[in-house]
Amino acid sequence: MSVLITGSGGLLGSKLAEILSERGYIIYSGYYSNKPLRGIPINLDVSSEESVREAFKISRPEVVVHAAALTNVDKCEIDKELAWNTNVVGTRNIAKASEEYNALLIYISTDYIFKGDKGMYKEEDKPEPINYYGLTKLKGEEEVKSLVSNYLIARASVIYGAMPASGKTNFALWIIENLKRGEKIKVVVDQWNSPTLNTSLAEMISEAIERKITGTYHLAGATRISRYDFAKQLAKTFDLREDLIMPVSSDEISWTARRPKDSSLDVSKALKTFHNKPLNIKDAMEKLREEIDGKAGPIL
Ligand SMILES: NC(=O)c1ccc[n+]([C@@H]2O[C@H](COP(=O)([O-])OP(=O)(O)OC[C@H]3O[C@@H](n4cnc5c(N)ncnc54)[C@H](OP(=O)(O)O)[C@@H]3O)[C@@H](O)[C@H]2O)c1
């Protein structure tokens, strides 16, 4: 089966390309600037209809996983045109082409479509984004729903993994790297979400492809946790110094874009449907540890 992955050099896309390649899928790895390690590389700018059309002509996909996005939340707030073109126009272009090719489209969305005033959001709760990134991702969901017959919208939350991707670190690696160096870090105590290990999300997406699961699902970690407690738990798992983690309030951090206070996701629908269940934080961190220990990785 031929699968086109957009953003295949990214944190999720790279893991998904790895897992699906090992399972014998023919993977076309759409990349923008960072060349992917797995799959057949196709240079792709999702914001260009012509570039998308060309990628589909080459790959003729039966399944498309649309993981490409402008994911830097502050950059989206500053450069709204780029955010709109990448996340909304880009998704529209991918959605149109997926429908034309009769492909199943899996769109990766986010907990940031929610306001963050109550937490443990269910799939049917009303989206109300409070920053531009969240707005563009929500508009992307709307494009998918209106243009594609066969789709899965998979909402994740703070994705982390064992390797840097797309030339950048991730929240878990940033914590580990700093604590390893003996450096103090400030982590907010008053923001909660459902951190999602990229491997776990990729396994769930792989299952969705195999079983043709469609609709909207929260495919995230199964534990609601604050950023601060996540950092503490990570330090415990990796035998690192917890005393280097300084608790701060989000008011003390000057971000350009507002962040939802509690955008944690209720994953009970996924728990019922998927054989690969969303992982609780302890199991996810153990898996992360195995992955990092199993690699002569660049950070440890
Ligand atoms: N990271 C999170 O915490 C998080 C949480 C919830 C949901 N999500 C969603 O999950 C998906 C995957 O996130 P991620 O963390 O894997 O993202 P990531 O590591 O930032 O990767 C995003 C990818 O998008 C590509 N891209 C950017 N602009 C593009 C364009 N115009 N055309 C084609 N590709 C373009 C980038 O390519 P280059 O590197 O080549 O430039 C990169 O590979 C995204 O849709 C994101 O919104 C992420």
Side-chain angles (χ1 to χ4, degrees), residues 11-12 33-34 44-46 71 108 133 137 159 166 168:
L11 183 56
L12 171 63
S33 49
N34 289 292
L44 167 66
D45 175 2
V46 293
T71 56
I108 314 302
Y133 167 72
K137 293 296 293 184
I159 302 174
S166 257
K168 50 184 201 282

Side-chain angles (χ1 to χ4, degrees), residues 138-185:
L138 175 61
K139 293 283 172 200
E141 286 195 9
E142 290 167 3
E143 296 288 345
V144 170
K145 284 182 188 164
S146 69
L147 293 166
V148 185
S149 323
N150 235 344
Y151 68 82
L152 169 69
I153 291 173
R155 294 186 189 134
S157 170
V158 191
I159 302 174
Y160 63 99
M163 296 287 283
S166 257
K168 50 184 201 282
T169 188
N170 58 68
F171 186 52
L173 285 186
W174 173 78
I175 293 164
I176 296 168
E177 282 163 6
N178 279 288
L179 298 187
K180 275 258 152 187
R181 286 198 297 263
E183 283 178 24
K184 284 186 181 170
I185 51 170

